[in-house]
């Protein structure tokens, strides 16, 4: 199971999810009793009332997740929290509207109960989140992490821990031979040198020591670390914590033996076959549902400027096999974007023809970005392990597209590759669903 789901359903997050489920359910049941007439029990038990409320509660929980309220549990701004909760309830109302449009009245909650229950939910969740952030979250405590070494991966992982308290890990400090004790460093401070490891451990009582040495051949006190491990302190490579905290593979710590002697990073055949099945099903359903948009978009593209409606681009797919990627044309002959093309790009509708690539087996719904062959050969020379991203089909959506902005710099491409390798390692239907839902939610707010 990929790490963000492990974090999501950790004990700390369940301590938030379970009470919220009960509170939301209670708000709508209370609304049913207030507006349900003489005997609301009949509605709840015999008129599908409990099922209708359960569907609404599920919609609220999905909205909370889409608004990242289970990833950012601390209340930094009351106004921002109110906005996020209102968006969450908006998702729920859209869900109810869809059920009503599909003419399934037995599953649609009565408007009076829906309105009152949603108002109660907004007030209760606001108060609960503030209480949880101020009292319960801090009382649960966090495991203290001590970094032995300060290489680039250790510093980035430490910064990510400070930014994501929901991981349940707090930064105790760093052991570093290059800086004096007390030096502020990336959200914590240097606590001492490698020779002072025993003293530092006795003072800060870490639950975990993460090895982030810039040079592995020197300064590794194996006997002392082994003694600490037998005393109950977890010893961990920085690459493992980096992956959990940053949700991408650390290329600087990636060893060739991990690729050769272990299938840890390889794509699983079963996962690839399963993805092909549901990608085709979703692509066919998507074409059927969005068919009404194809002709208006094609007409708008044709009228916007001379040229073809659909452009064809050469791309390299799985195992570096070339294929033709389809996309609605968004530019004029001189390369300038058309007004229609700008809107298509903003709403990501220019990629609608790529559903045909999915049906033809050239792409998947989710996967690494399909790159131009001109850049692939250059990147394969400059970055190790770049060819491994072609072990799976490229995707319309992707983990790297969701988490990083693809640019022209080598650093951007390296970061995107780390996300791609993470996706290949953890690919599953649940991760694909997460990527698609969050990508669709962020479509109106992303540039380019």
């Amino acid at each position: 199971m990929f790490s963000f789901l492990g974090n999501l359903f950790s004990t700390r997050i369940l301590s938030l999810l379970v009470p919220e489920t009960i509170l939301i359910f209670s708000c709508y049941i209370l609304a049913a009793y207030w507006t349900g007439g003489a005997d609301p029990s009949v509605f709840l038990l015999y008129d599908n009332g409990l099922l209708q409320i359960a569907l609404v509660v599920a919609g609220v929980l999905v909205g909370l997740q889409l608004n990242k309220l289970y990833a950012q549990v601390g209340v930094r701004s009351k106004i921002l929290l109110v906005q996020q909760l209102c968006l969450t309830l908006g998702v729920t109302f859209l869900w109810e509207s869809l059920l009503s449009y599909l003419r399934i009245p037995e599953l649609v909650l009565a408007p009076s109960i829906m309105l009152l229950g949603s108002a109660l939910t907004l007030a209760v969740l606001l108060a609960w989140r503030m209480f949880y952030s101020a009292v319960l979250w801090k009382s649960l405590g966090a495991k203290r992490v001590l970094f032995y070494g300060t290489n680039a991966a250790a510093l980035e992982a430490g910064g990510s821990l400070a930014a994501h308290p929901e991981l349940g890990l707090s930064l105790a400090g760093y052991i570093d031979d290059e800086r004096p004790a007390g030096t502020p460093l990336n959200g914590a401070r240097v606590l001492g040198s490698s020779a002072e490891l025993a003293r530092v451990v006795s003072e800060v009582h870490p639950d975990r020591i993460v090895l982030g040495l810039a040079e592995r051949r020197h300064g590794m006190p194996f006997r002392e670390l082994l003694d600490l491990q037998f005393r109950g302190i977890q010893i961990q490579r920085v690459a493992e914590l980096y992956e959990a905290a940053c949700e991408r593979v650390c290329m600087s710590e990636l060893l060739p033996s991990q690729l050769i002697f272990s299938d840890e990073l390889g794509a699983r055949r079963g996962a690839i076959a399963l993805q092909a099945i549901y990608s085709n099903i979703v692509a066919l359903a998507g074409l059927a549902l969005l068919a009404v948009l194809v002709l208006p978009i094609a007409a708008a593209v044709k009228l916007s400027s001379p040229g073809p409606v659909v452009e064809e681009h050469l791309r390299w797919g799985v195992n570096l096999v070339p294929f033709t990627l389809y996309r609605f044309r968004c530019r004029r002959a001189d390369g300038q974007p058309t007004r229609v093309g700008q809107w298509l790009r903003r709403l990501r509708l220019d990629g609608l023809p790529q559903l045909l690539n999915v049906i033809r087996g050239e792409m998947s719904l989710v996967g690494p970005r399909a790159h131009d062959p001109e850049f692939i050969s250059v990147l394969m020379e400059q970055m190790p392990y770049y060819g491994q991203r072609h072990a799976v089909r490229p995707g319309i959506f992707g983990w790297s597209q969701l988490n990083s902005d693809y640019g022209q710099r080598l650093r951007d491409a390296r970061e995107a590759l780390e996300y791609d390798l993470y996706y290949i390692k953890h690919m599953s239907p649940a991760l694909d669903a997460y990527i698609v839902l969050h990508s669709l939610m962020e479509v109106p707010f992303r540039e380019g």
Side-chain angles (χ1 to χ4, degrees), residues 77-93:
S77 167
K78 296 178 183 178
I79 296 177
L80 176 60
L81 178 60
V82 171
Q83 292 175 343
Q84 290 175 312
L85 291 176
C86 289
L87 286 173
T88 294
L89 293 173
V91 171
T92 310
F93 275 94

Side-chain angles (χ1 to χ4, degrees), residues 96-126:
E96 287 290 292
S97 299
L98 176 62
L99 293 176
S100 178
Y101 176 78
L102 295 176
R103 298 183 180 180
I104 314 178
E106 62 273 14
L107 299 181
V108 179
L109 195 61
S112 58
I113 301 176
M114 184 68 187
L115 291 172
L116 180 57
S118 298
L120 289 173
T121 297
L122 177 62
V124 169
L125 285 183
L126 178 62

Side-chain angles (χ1 to χ4, degrees), residues 279-309:
S279 289
N280 278 310
I281 293 174
V282 173
L284 288 169
L287 282 177
L289 292 174
L290 299 175
V292 294
L293 297 177
V294 173
L295 288 179
I297 291 175
V301 170
K302 192 65 178 178
L303 294 173
S304 65
S305 64
V309 172

Side-chain angles (χ1 to χ4, degrees), residues 383-410:
M383 288 191 299
Y385 315 119
Y386 186 84
Q388 277 62 50
R389 72 188 295 276
H390 295 281
V392 298
R393 295 182 181 88
I396 299 176
F397 306 100
W399 188 239
S400 63
Q401 295 94 301
L402 182 64
N403 289 285
S404 66
D405 294 321
Y406 179 73
Q408 299 299 321
R409 299 176 303 169
L410 182 63

